[in-house]
Amino acid sequence: MSKNNVSEESKTSTIAMGVEIVGEIKANGNIRIDGTVKGNISLTGKLVVVNTGIIEGDVTCKNAAIAGKFDGKITVDETLVLQETARVHGDIITDKLVVENGAVFTGTCNMDRKQPHAPAQQSK
């Protein structure tokens, strides 16, 4: 196989430490965030947020591992890992959740991915 036959999901884009992106990101493949993203992220692969990484916005992805700061709503099709240095504030929707000792999570979590997510109804 030649190097040109690499699948889209095996490619990883990196947002380096010291880089701040403001706006929406859409990607086929994986993203590693060492810097800051202020905006929504949608990708087909895995999101990795290292301990220096910061996200302020909503995320949709296949898998994710967070060791940095996250503020927003994250929807993960398969597995979300909150590593020991993670600081997450917001809402989580995922099939599987792993929370390592030391991780901090404040918000809501919905792990029922088999049911369609309907908005909560207010009582009258």
Side-chain angles (χ1 to χ4, degrees):
M1 263 188 165
S2 72
K3 289 184 179 181
N4 293 337
N5 290 338
V6 177
S7 74
E8 289 296 316
E9 282 198 15
S10 67
K11 296 179 183 178
T12 299
S13 299
T14 300
I15 298 170
M17 189 168 45
V19 173
E20 180 176 312
I21 294 178
V22 178
E24 185 174 357
I25 297 174
K26 292 184 180 182
N28 289 326
N30 307 317
I31 292 181
R32 175 186 162 120
I33 298 178
D34 295 20
T36 301
V37 175
K38 295 181 179 181
N40 298 335
I41 300 172
S42 177
L43 59 135
T44 60
K46 183 174 183 176
L47 172 71
V48 175
V49 182
V50 301
N51 60 347
T52 60
I54 299 170
I55 296 177
E56 296 175 7
D58 296 344
V59 171
T60 302
C61 60
K62 185 174 181 180
N63 289 292
I66 299 176
K69 295 180 182 176
F70 179 87
D71 189 356
K73 176 181 175 183
I74 184 165
T75 303
V76 181
D77 290 337
E78 294 178 4
T79 304
L80 169 61
V81 178
L82 302 182
Q83 297 174 341
E84 66 180 337
T85 56
R87 302 292 177 258
V88 177
H89 181 264
D91 299 325
I92 294 173
I93 299 171
T94 188
D95 188 41
K96 297 179 188 116
L97 176 64
V98 177
V99 181
E100 294 181 359
N101 189 26
V104 175
F105 166 60
T106 303
T108 64
C109 181
N110 185 333
M111 294 177 61
D112 189 7
R113 295 285 294 159
K114 293 171 184 56
Q115 297 296 321
H117 300 288
Q121 295 187 7
Q122 297 178 343
S123 57
K124 295 181 182 182

